[in-house]
Amino acid sequence: MKAFLIAVFALSTILVGCVTTTEPSTDAQRLSVIDLTQTPGFTWFVAEMDGYRPDSAHVSRVRTAMNASPDKKVYIFVRPTCSCRGTQRMFPQVMKTLMDAGVDMGRVEVWSMKAATDAQPYASLFTVTQLPAFYVVANGVVTASMGDDFATNYDETNADSLIANAVSR
């Protein structure tokens, strides 16, 4: 009986030690293009991206602007399961335009966030205030933020012109 009680106590101690009380991470998570096609929260991404046909003139503007400034990067912050049009329509359209322009995906960073208040690695450069959020950075300086443009000018089909305007600044 004594051995049984010792075994129960030992097992209880081990189980209590396995319980965690830490909060879930609220850090932004970087996603690759492969991640976007395989992550459950982004099941809509491929279909939305494949269904968009960016205007070749805007694709050319993106290509020219990005080639002219090799240090220019695009940072995109999205909420995975958000059913808002910005995330499920505009974000894949921006990605499609960047890909069609031949932009090296090493210069495009996509970050998944649960909320705009999640910690993100570029807090010293900009504050994410809404999701999705799009920033263009060159030489360590934000040259464009597309949040306001998209909120007021996005019409479901013109993400190509908005990203072209942003990277051309």
Side-chain angles (χ1 to χ4, degrees):
M1 180 69 168
K2 188 175 180 180
F4 175 74
L5 290 173
I6 291 172
V8 169
F9 177 74
L11 183 60
S12 297
T13 303
I14 292 169
L15 291 176
V16 169
C18 293
V19 175
T20 180
T21 58
T22 58
E23 293 296 315
S25 174
T26 57
D27 292 346
Q29 302 295 315
R30 187 168 178 185
L31 300 172
S32 68
V33 174
I34 298 295
D35 294 334
L36 290 169
T37 65
Q38 297 175 352
T39 301
F42 291 98
T43 55
W44 43 266
F45 179 78
V46 173
E48 286 294 330
M49 191 176 73
D50 287 348
Y52 185 62
R53 301 288 175 250
D55 183 293
S56 61
H58 298 306
V59 170
S60 181
R61 286 180 56 216
V62 169
R63 181 181 302 110
T64 299
M66 294 298 283
N67 286 342
S69 184
D71 64 315
K72 193 171 281 188
K73 290 185 117 182
V74 177
Y75 300 97
I76 303 170
F77 298 85
V78 294
R79 186 171 49 200
T81 56
C82 180
S83 60
C84 58
R85 73 183 185 125
T87 294
Q88 288 198 351
R89 301 277 302 162
M90 163 173 59
F91 162 55
Q93 291 176 2
V94 166
M95 290 296 290
K96 174 75 173 205
T97 304
L98 292 167
M99 290 173 161
D100 283 3
V103 175
D104 176 358
M105 287 296 107
R107 296 173 65 190
V108 178
E109 292 186 17
V110 177
W111 293 85
S112 174
M113 300 173 79
K114 293 176 184 165
T117 56
D118 288 0
Q120 51 90 1
Y122 302 105
S124 64
L125 285 175
F126 50 79
T127 300
V128 176
T129 58
Q130 65 185 30
L131 295 173
F134 302 80
Y135 298 91
V136 179
V137 175
N139 295 317
V141 175
V142 176
T143 60
S145 168
M146 298 188 310
D148 293 336
D149 284 348
F150 278 116
T152 58
N153 298 324
Y154 179 64
D155 69 6
E156 303 285 326
T157 63
N158 67 334
D160 54 0
S161 66
L162 295 172
I163 188 64
N165 291 341
V167 298
S168 295
R169 294 183 189 151

